[in-house]
Amino acid sequence: MTRTHAPLYLSGLTKSYGSQIVVRDINLTLPGGEVTALVGPSGAGKTTLMRLIAGVDRPDEGTIRSGETVLSSPARHVPAERRQIGLVFQDFALFPHLNVTGNIMFGLTQLPKTDREALTRSWTDRLGLTNRAAAYPHHLSGGEQQRVAIARALAPSPRVLLMDEPFSGLDPERRETSRDIALRAVREAGIPALLVTHDPVEALAHADTVAVMQNGQIIQTGTPDRLYMTPDNLAVAKALGRVQSVERAAFPATIRATLPDSNTVHLRPEALRIDPAGALSMQVISAHRRGTLCELRLGTEDLRLTCVAILPKLPRVGDTLQVTLDPAYCLRFSATDN
């Protein structure tokens, strides 16, 4: 049975460059055998946080611990080459002169040869690469290259695995398959993993925990369902999906009674439901099929709203539809966030 590695603890991490505070008072736990997704806009501090964990940069304040082992503190700083951190990036950075076996075996030099070979075979099997073990990188698909990079990072059993947009360069079909195989292997290895992504759908669908970062701070952490359905504030809500902000007074009285008691109402597109018995009549402004879901832009004299729905046939522009609102997708924030 694969052992679960010690969690990685980040406590009070702060980092400045000159007068600019880039990371401020970060507290985050990465449990062993789980994937934590870090999302946020460009410039939020995600890359700096990864550099601090990897040991490339030293925090001004705070500590980084792997279990009870201190990697960074005001009194101690373990250099990057001694941290045992696994790294996977969008650019897989495979060694072109080594085949799949050679790339995976590269970081196992401290083991006896027979152990290196056995461990490498184990990882090629786990990542679905057994039949490609002798292939060189230029003969591999993008998805296969990505899995080799994951296997190479996991084989030395690192304290933590850091993944920076590792799947974003793959085409959609290969992305799903490779991501499923790779993240299953990460969990089975029992290693704490941090997945940095700009794709909220990826974070929600594939992470155990999501942390939202903005302006150098983590503003909310929780399960994907918790953050999507009950975010603490509008910034978290927007980081994980589309939000429509509408004046409450624009809705008919029968619908206002079901809405949060605030001047501005924040809705997910899923809040609007086509319902023949709905109390609100809206005209179709535009209609597009997005695969399984149809996206409709609907309007009245006072409202413009987007609706997503599963429909066998798109309505025509100019059609009138009866709609209602599902309160579960009407987000409720504190008064200061309205």
Side-chain angles (χ1 to χ4, degrees):
M1 181 176 178
T2 303
R3 71 181 179 94
T4 298
H5 289 226
L8 189 80
Y9 301 103
L10 312 181
S11 304
L13 283 188
T14 296
K15 177 65 178 177
S16 300
Y17 296 106
S19 61
Q20 183 181 8
I21 301 177
V22 181
V23 168
R24 184 194 302 269
D25 193 27
I26 296 292
N27 298 286
L28 184 65
T29 297
L30 307 182
E34 294 189 11
V35 176
T36 300
L38 184 65
V39 301
S42 298
K46 303 186 298 298
T47 298
T48 298
L49 183 59
M50 289 187 71
R51 290 172 63 89
L52 293 174
I53 296 171
V56 176
D57 290 341
R58 185 169 186 166
D60 301 326
E61 299 175 20
T63 61
I64 301 172
R65 286 188 297 115
S66 174
E68 297 304 315
T69 302
V70 176
L71 301 178
S72 283
S73 74
R76 175 177 169 79
H77 181 74
V78 177
E81 64 272 16
R82 291 175 46 209
R83 288 213 175 182
Q84 297 174 262
I85 305 293
L87 302 170
V88 180
F89 302 100
Q90 181 178 347
D91 178 2
F92 311 131
L94 300 180
F95 300 111
H97 64 290
L98 297 178
N99 61 18
V100 168
T101 295
N103 267 281
I104 297 173
M105 197 182 293
F106 182 81
L108 305 176
T109 54
Q110 295 181 349
L111 297 176
K113 182 180 179 180
T114 55
D115 291 347
R116 294 201 308 270
E117 292 174 343
L119 188 56
T120 299
R121 283 195 300 271
S122 171
W123 279 107
T124 55
D125 290 345
R126 292 166 85 167
L127 273 297
L129 296 164
T130 302
N131 295 332
R132 308 293 281 155
Y136 286 83
H138 64 280
H139 290 140
L140 301 175
S141 69
E144 289 169 337
Q145 291 183 41
Q146 186 264 356
R147 280 182 273 152
V148 174
I150 293 279
R152 184 178 62 184
L154 290 175
S157 193
R159 298 180 187 274
V160 63
L161 180 66
L162 304 180
M163 298 178 284
D164 190 4
E165 300 279 355
F167 309 106
S168 61
L170 304 179
D171 64 66
E173 183 178 354
R174 288 194 177 96
R175 185 184 309 145
E176 283 297 319
T177 301
S178 292
R179 181 167 50 200
D180 288 345
I181 293 172
L183 295 185
R184 181 170 64 247
V186 171
R187 291 184 173 95
E188 290 174 353
I191 295 171
L194 184 67
L195 171 64
V196 175
T197 177
H198 284 92
D199 183 356
V201 174
E202 180 174 69
L204 292 168
H206 296 280
D208 301 287
T209 300
V210 177
V212 178
M213 195 168 187
Q214 185 182 61
N215 298 326
Q217 296 179 292
I218 291 180
I219 55 177
Q220 190 176 357
T221 304
T223 64
D225 192 57
R226 162 79 173 86
L227 264 63
Y228 187 78
M229 297 301 295
T230 55
D232 285 349
N233 54 55
L234 187 56
V236 173
K238 288 183 174 180
L240 295 175
R242 295 171 62 182
V243 179
Q244 307 173 89
S245 299
V246 185
E247 292 302 307
R248 189 170 183 271
F251 291 99
T254 53
I255 290 182
R256 285 201 302 271
T258 68
L259 298 176
D261 187 16
S262 58
N263 293 331
T264 304
V265 179
H266 307 287
L267 312 172
R268 295 287 189 200
E270 302 94 310
L272 210 59
R273 298 289 178 87
I274 298 172
D275 180 0
L280 184 59
S281 295
M282 303 192 78
Q283 190 174 59
V284 178
I285 299 171
S286 64
H288 303 281
R289 182 168 291 281
R290 311 288 191 195
T292 302
L293 294 176
C294 296
E295 182 176 299
L296 311 180
R297 186 67 174 163
L298 304 177
T300 68
E301 186 176 337
D302 301 315
L303 280 173
R304 292 291 187 274
L305 292 174
T306 297
C307 164
V308 292
I310 298 175
L311 299 172
K313 183 180 180 181
L314 280 174
R316 294 173 300 179
V317 172
D319 284 354
T320 297
L321 301 177
Q322 298 302 122
V323 301
T324 189
L325 290 185
D326 184 344
Y329 294 96
C330 300
L331 305 177
R332 289 164 167 78
F333 308 132
S334 64
T336 56
D337 292 313
N338 290 313

